[in-house]
Amino acid sequence: IQNLCESNDIECGEIDGYWGHLTEHAFELLEDQLENDREAVIWRPEELLDTNPNGWPSQNDVEALVAYYGEPGTNQDYAQLPYAHRLSWKLNTRINRFKCHERVKPSIERVTQRVLDHYGEATIRELRLDVWGGCSVVRKMRGGTKPSMHSWGIAIDYDPARNKLKWGRDRAVFAQPEYDAWWSFWEAEGWVSLGRNRNFDWMHVQAAKL
């Protein structure tokens, strides 16, 4: 499927044989293209209100993003994690760090430490706050045409299987009240949840204002 997506110019992430959320989304586009002979519909609202006062560049201003973070894929470092994360596409694999932009690394480390202090490892596991869906990968926004915030390593996905891209608060697990503290820790550092602001992509948090 991943090879077929690549041959049809559909982004699916790394060709690795694992069924992650990028591959799932690519398969949906491929299926629609092959069965219905049509291009992907651009459904994501790309001009979002610039209402976040926390100091990150705007996701709608690529020049500002480059001025602040550099070119996509550059200035990367590894955030060290206070509790192990599990890969969402390979749950038996644990990581203790992940690649991100060097300017957001300290913030990620502070947030995850607050998460550990508040929830503890048992509740983190129960709520699947350790199920990591990815951070740094140069690609376009899914369902859009602009560069993804993942291209700079300034966006992180968590538990994508239970917070799918198009799900709203009626289905996304991260919309439930037990996750309010989780979101407050990110938002205190200036990170933005598309789920809480736009009611889609609840897996996603980013260091870029809307």
Side-chain angles (χ1 to χ4, degrees), residues 6-22:
E6 184 179 57
S7 67
N8 282 273
D9 296 322
I10 296 173
E11 292 181 326
C12 64
E14 182 182 357
I15 297 178
D16 57 8
Y18 290 107
W19 185 267
H21 61 289
L22 291 180

Side-chain angles (χ1 to χ4, degrees), residues 21 24 127-129 131 142 157-176 179 182-183 193 195 199-204:
H21 61 289
E24 181 178 5
L127 296 179
R128 290 168 59 97
L129 296 174
V131 177
R142 291 183 291 152
D157 292 337
Y158 279 95
D159 199 5
R162 300 195 306 163
N163 299 279
K164 291 183 183 292
L165 180 64
K166 297 183 183 181
W167 286 5
R169 57 179 49 89
D170 59 324
R171 299 182 69 186
V173 172
F174 276 6
Q176 297 175 3
Y179 296 91
W182 158 266
W183 289 123
S193 160
N199 198 28
F200 67 87
D201 208 359
W202 280 85
M203 74 180 83
H204 176 100

Side-chain angles (χ1 to χ4, degrees), residues 1-165:
I1 289 170
Q2 290 172 336
N3 281 312
L4 192 56
C5 287
E6 184 179 57
S7 67
N8 282 273
D9 296 322
I10 296 173
E11 292 181 326
C12 64
E14 182 182 357
I15 297 178
D16 57 8
Y18 290 107
W19 185 267
H21 61 289
L22 291 180
T23 300
E24 181 178 5
H25 177 68
F27 176 70
E28 291 173 358
L29 298 180
L30 177 68
E31 189 175 37
D32 197 32
Q33 179 175 309
L34 296 183
E35 291 188 355
N36 301 313
D37 191 27
R38 65 183 183 186
E39 296 300 316
V41 175
I42 303 303
W43 58 267
R44 179 187 289 268
E46 297 192 323
E47 297 300 328
L48 302 178
L49 295 176
D50 185 13
T51 58
N52 185 353
N54 294 301
W56 304 111
S58 170
Q59 74 166 24
N60 296 316
D61 189 340
V62 174
E63 289 187 4
L65 286 164
V66 171
Y68 189 81
Y69 289 119
E71 293 295 331
T74 65
N75 304 313
Q76 301 293 288
D77 201 348
Y78 284 88
Q80 304 297 321
L81 299 168
Y83 57 92
H85 284 29
R86 294 177 288 159
L87 302 185
S88 64
W89 60 94
K90 195 178 179 185
L91 286 171
N92 61 345
T93 298
R94 294 171 174 265
I95 60 172
N96 294 304
R97 64 175 190 166
F98 61 78
K99 187 166 66 172
C100 64
H101 196 280
E102 62 185 11
R103 296 194 75 165
V104 303
K105 170 184 179 288
S107 180
I108 293 171
E109 293 174 347
R110 288 192 297 269
V111 171
T112 51
Q113 184 61 55
R114 291 191 68 186
V115 171
L116 178 60
D117 293 343
H118 177 82
Y119 287 104
E121 290 194 20
T123 302
I124 285 172
R125 183 68 177 252
E126 178 185 349
L127 296 179
R128 290 168 59 97
L129 296 174
D130 61 337
V131 177
W132 182 79
C135 178
S136 183
V137 56
V138 178
R139 62 172 177 82
K140 295 178 183 176
M141 291 182 181
R142 291 183 291 152
T145 60
K146 295 182 178 181
S148 169
M149 299 303 99
H150 291 283
S151 297
W152 285 273
I154 60 171
I156 312 168
D157 292 337
Y158 279 95
D159 199 5
R162 300 195 306 163
N163 299 279
K164 291 183 183 292
L165 180 64

